[in-house]
Amino acid sequence: MQMPDDLPDLSLSENAELVLRKRYVRKGPEGEEMETPQELFWRVAAAIAASETAYEQTPFSQEALARRFYDLMASCRFFPNSPTLMNAGTELGQLAACFVLPVGDSMEEIFDAIKYAALIHKSGGGTGFSFSRLRAADSRVGSTGGVASGPISFLRIFNTATEQVKQGGTRRGANMGILRVDHPDILEFIRVKEREGELNNFNLSVALTEDFMRRVEADAEYPLIAPQSEKEVGRLRAREVFTLLVQKAWESGDPGIIFLDRINRDNPTPQLGDIEATNPCGEQPLLPYEACNLGSINLSRFADAPAQELDWEGLRESVHLAVRFLDNVIDASVYPLPQITDQVKRNRKIGLGIMGWADLLYQLRIAYDSRQALSLGEKVMDFIQKEARSASKDLARERGPFPAYADSVFGKQNLGPYRNATTTTIAPTGTLSILAGCSSGIEPLFALSFVREVMDGERLVETNPIFRQAMEEAGCASQRLLDEVARKGTVRDMELVPDDMRNVFVTAMDIDGEAHLRMQAAFQKYTDNAVSKTVNLPHEATQEDIRHIYWLAYEQGCKGVTVYRDGCKSVQVLSTEESR
Ligand code: CDP
């Protein structure tokens, strides 16, 4: 499709344009840029609109739809996940960010998984694996009479292989490694990241069961089960294991935990098997060989600040268009393995979520750690989930339901038909939020002022624009104030800032762990898949604080938790001047 010459301009910041040029724009053999940012968005819009040709019924002309998709992205109201931006309309054509691969208990299956992961990383996707089916270290190997190496030593091979393959030529592959709490090697797994740098290409999570949690509560033992024989091979005290989990998370942030039974309670297609793992950042539980593409709506573009409201109608329209976009992505994507193509096309999972939540709260002058923020969070996500499902129903009428629908939980309860087995997921939006110029996912801002190291080692101070404008309107945006904000990153205890503003302009470190967790739970209530969130804790946080957060996550219906205690690792991506 020819790019029209009257397309509206992009509303990208300088930083966004830099990132786009460096990581997303198509490059020639000498590394020269082959497209402008505008051409990039048109390439994506046109490729995704072209999927419509597969269907007889469509309410749009291809050109009109491409324009709508273009506008949605160019105005920074919505972005699909990075692989879609990088690869749509290119030869590679792999558009999904999230994959889960099975790891079977044989040499062939283990090394197949390593090879498949390499193919996925090369195409820009991230992989999650459960290692729970592998026999324990030191158990017998039938064919040789020798002993098995166990999941942890294989994890190291996966990690090394990942090191050598760059995702889409731009970033190193990301992985999630999961082990069930009743696997005989669980203690070693919990401790494996004690040494800094160990398994650096993996996030690790322990899969907890409801039965295990009940035994923690009762201070009882629980059985360790050998994966091949399904026989009990030992017992551990649940509370001791839980305490060890808490201790390791306190020391290094790793491993996290996921609540496996709860994830499977929400499995929309249990007839196709159990969910054993999630994607690398934990927000997308998937079946073996399943992939999912994500997309995020930038809520800060829907603030009606003078009315202290959201533009609900605008949001509805964007959600419907975004669902059509993401469903088309499934058809436009070229998956690296036929098993993946089959599994994806059976369920057609998509994950629409949000970013810019903290910005929206700033714009509406609502404190992140307030009841009002929690209830607005629930209201917004309830709205998005309902509208996304309604859009998926509309698509089912046009194109038919997802093929596994009849035997899915929706089919059995006559709830559909839907075009997609899931529609909502809240992603971290690590790079997308930079492109959109907004806060990431549902996270609070890390600081009101960032020190950014630019390429030649120069340091630039960037103050949050909503805060800056609020200070200017209140007549207190003095250089002294801005300098102090740059130094501290937070204004909670700053007398130069009016009281009501101090409460509104809170940052990750001002907010206690419980408020972080309650926000995650509020969004989880209305999200089909899971919610990416880091519960940030101050350096002084105790192990008891982490235990409390874990327990609250369990009680509040979260599907997993990740905590991070400030300064517990020697290398940190973001910092304010004082924490340097
Ligand atoms: O913002 P962007 O679309 O780049 O990604 P994100 O929202 O931060 O992460 C979403 C998902 O993309 C992760 O959970 C991974 O499945 C995948 N990802 C990856 O494979 N490698 C990375 N370096 C970052 C993300």
Side-chain angles (χ1 to χ4, degrees):
M1 224 181 301
Q2 188 74 29
M3 182 165 108
D5 47 23
D6 60 342
L7 286 178
D9 280 343
L10 304 174
S11 62
L12 295 179
S13 70
E14 219 171 289
N15 266 334
E17 201 157 325
L18 258 177
V19 173
L20 209 61
R21 288 220 146 101
K22 201 162 165 221
R23 309 241 319 245
Y24 294 75
V25 153
R26 271 202 290 173
K27 306 273 170 44
E30 309 285 318
E32 71 278 19
E33 292 174 11
M34 306 279 282
E35 60 189 2
T36 63
Q38 203 176 36
E39 285 164 341
L40 180 156
F41 286 119
W42 181 254
R43 160 171 62 76
V44 176
I48 304 307
S51 296
E52 298 267 324
T53 47
Y55 302 108
E56 272 172 28
Q57 203 187 334
T58 162
F60 302 98
S61 79
Q62 228 187 95
E63 167 109 352
L65 187 62
R67 264 181 177 269
R68 280 175 179 244
F69 286 161
Y70 176 89
D71 288 346
L72 197 61
M73 293 183 284
S75 60
C76 297
R77 277 176 292 160
F78 163 85
F79 284 130
N81 54 208
S82 289
T84 303
L85 290 176
M86 289 169 178
N87 303 335
T90 73
E91 229 165 80
L92 188 55
Q94 195 297 101
L95 310 182
C98 313
F99 293 78
V100 162
L101 291 171
V103 186
D105 186 41
S106 69
M107 278 298 168
E108 287 81 357
E109 289 166 289
I110 292 169
F111 282 90
D112 274 348
I114 293 174
K115 170 175 147 192
Y116 299 159
L119 295 176
I120 291 169
H121 292 165
K122 220 173 79 175
S123 75
T127 41
F129 315 87
S130 163
F131 290 89
S132 303
R133 295 191 216 174
L134 298 191
R135 74 193 71 186
D138 299 334
S139 45
R140 301 219 71 74
V141 177
S143 57
T144 60
V147 291
S149 327
I152 288 67
S153 72
F154 285 117
L155 251 164
R156 294 203 172 94
I157 308 182
F158 279 73
N159 190 64
T160 308
T162 301
E163 192 80 25
Q164 309 309 328
V165 186
K166 273 199 172 173
Q167 275 181 322
T170 55
R171 53 187 187 188
R172 180 119 17 91
N175 295 296
M176 169 67 86
I178 287 182
L179 199 68
R180 284 176 63 97
V181 72
D182 55 7
H183 190 282
D185 291 353
I186 192 64
L187 293 178
E188 195 188 348
F189 183 81
I190 296 174
R191 293 197 180 109
V192 68
K193 280 201 154 196
E194 269 170 6
R195 260 195 327 139
E196 224 170 292
E198 183 77 294
L199 297 180
N200 57 331
N201 300 309
F202 268 86
N203 293 324
L204 298 183
S205 272
V206 175
L208 304 182
T209 58
E210 301 274 323
D211 177 64
F212 173 81
M213 292 304 279
R214 276 193 291 272
R215 289 178 200 236
V216 174
E217 226 170 346
D219 196 10
E221 290 187 337
Y222 74 102
L224 297 175
I225 310 288
Q228 335 79 290
S229 65
E230 295 184 10
K231 288 208 177 99
E232 179 178 327
V233 290
R235 291 182 86 76
L236 290 172
R237 252 181 81 195
R239 205 171 269 185
E240 277 177 14
V241 174
F242 193 74
T243 300
L244 184 66
L245 276 168
V246 166
Q247 185 194 335
K248 292 298 142 193
W250 183 85
E251 284 169 7
S252 71
D254 259 305
I257 55 176
I258 60 167
F259 297 114
L260 197 59
D261 296 335
R262 194 166 287 167
I263 285 175
N264 276 294
R265 215 174 298 148
D266 283 352
N267 177 1
T269 56
Q271 81 274 15
L272 299 179
D274 286 346
I275 295 177
E276 298 166 27
T278 70
N279 70 329
C281 304
E283 72 277 12
Q284 188 63 50
L286 291 169
L287 293 167
Y289 289 122
E290 200 170 25
C292 183
N293 70 92
L294 312 177
S296 302
I297 299 246
N298 174 5
L299 282 180
S300 73
R301 293 281 159 149
F302 296 88
D304 182 352
Q308 294 281 291
E309 253 304 344
L310 262 100
D311 167 14
W312 295 102
E313 214 25 66
L315 185 57
R316 184 196 322 272
E317 202 180 297
S318 291
V319 168
H320 281 253
L321 199 54
V323 167
R324 178 175 286 274
F325 186 108
L326 296 176
D327 189 59
N328 285 7
V329 167
I330 297 172
D331 299 317
S333 183
V334 181
Y335 297 97
L337 291 172
Q339 301 92 304
I340 296 178
T341 310
D342 292 347
Q343 189 76 305
V344 169
K345 299 222 163 145
R346 266 195 281 273
N347 288 338
R348 303 191 66 89
K349 283 182 185 168
I350 56 171
L352 180 66
I354 60 157
M355 54 186 164
W357 169 239
D359 285 336
L360 177 76
L361 292 175
Y362 279 2
Q363 287 164 307
L364 301 181
R365 305 286 191 266
I366 299 173
Y368 189 99
D369 52 351
S370 66
R371 277 192 169 280
Q372 207 189 343
L374 289 178
S375 58
L376 183 64
E378 289 194 7
K379 187 174 166 190
V380 167
M381 205 55 214
D382 184 19
F383 182 86
I384 292 178
Q385 188 185 44
K386 282 207 177 86
E387 291 304 327
R389 284 182 175 171
S390 136
S392 184
K393 269 192 181 167
D394 292 347
L395 286 176
R397 273 190 288 273
E398 267 177 59
R399 308 173 168 183
F402 62 93
Y405 166 75
D407 293 321
S408 73
V409 291
F410 305 119
K412 292 243 156 90
Q413 296 170 38
N414 258 329
L415 286 175
Y418 291 106
R419 178 68 177 158
N420 313 91
T422 67
T423 51
T424 42
T425 301
I426 296 184
T429 70
T431 352
L432 294 190
S433 61
I434 301 176
L435 294 184
C438 66
S439 58
S440 55
I442 60 159
E443 297 292 356
L445 277 120
F446 178 76
L448 280 170
S449 194
F450 286 93
V451 181
R452 200 180 288 275
E453 310 236 352
V454 277
M455 285 162 227
D456 47 9
E458 200 186 329
R459 296 168 71 195
L460 289 180
V461 177
E462 279 176 37
T463 308
N464 177 274
I466 309 168
F467 169 70
R468 206 185 163 119
Q469 195 189 341
M471 289 301 106
E472 277 162 13
E473 281 167 15
C476 50
S478 64
Q479 195 54 46
R480 190 171 140 224
L481 173 93
L482 295 177
D483 288 347
E484 198 158 329
V485 176
R487 199 161 52 78
K488 288 217 163 88
T490 158
V491 294
R492 190 147 262 194
D493 306 314
M494 216 176 271
E495 280 169 12
L496 291 167
V497 176
D499 273 359
D500 51 339
M501 299 280 179
R502 280 198 236 169
N503 290 332
V504 166
F505 289 99
V506 287
T507 62
M509 285 302 155
D510 301 324
I511 297 168
D512 67 23
E514 189 165 328
H516 277 277
L517 197 278
R518 287 193 188 277
M519 190 60 78
Q520 176 181 340
F523 277 91
Q524 181 62 70
K525 247 188 192 169
Y526 300 100
T527 303
D528 299 346
N529 295 299
V531 175
S532 164
K533 175 91 188 71
T534 302
V535 175
N536 275 296
L537 298 167
H539 190 70
E540 310 72 58
T542 62
Q543 295 190 23
E544 200 40 51
D545 295 334
I546 293 181
R547 178 191 300 274
H548 175 64
I549 296 294
Y550 275 14
W551 209 258
L552 201 62
Y554 176 60
E555 287 170 356
Q556 293 282 315
C558 294
K559 290 185 176 167
V561 205
T562 307
V563 298
Y564 186 75
R565 191 169 61 89
D566 190 38
C568 73
K569 278 187 191 159
S570 57
V571 183
Q572 224 166 275
V573 184
L574 296 173
S575 61
T576 59
E577 280 200 49
E578 270 199 353
S579 66
R580 271 158 185 273

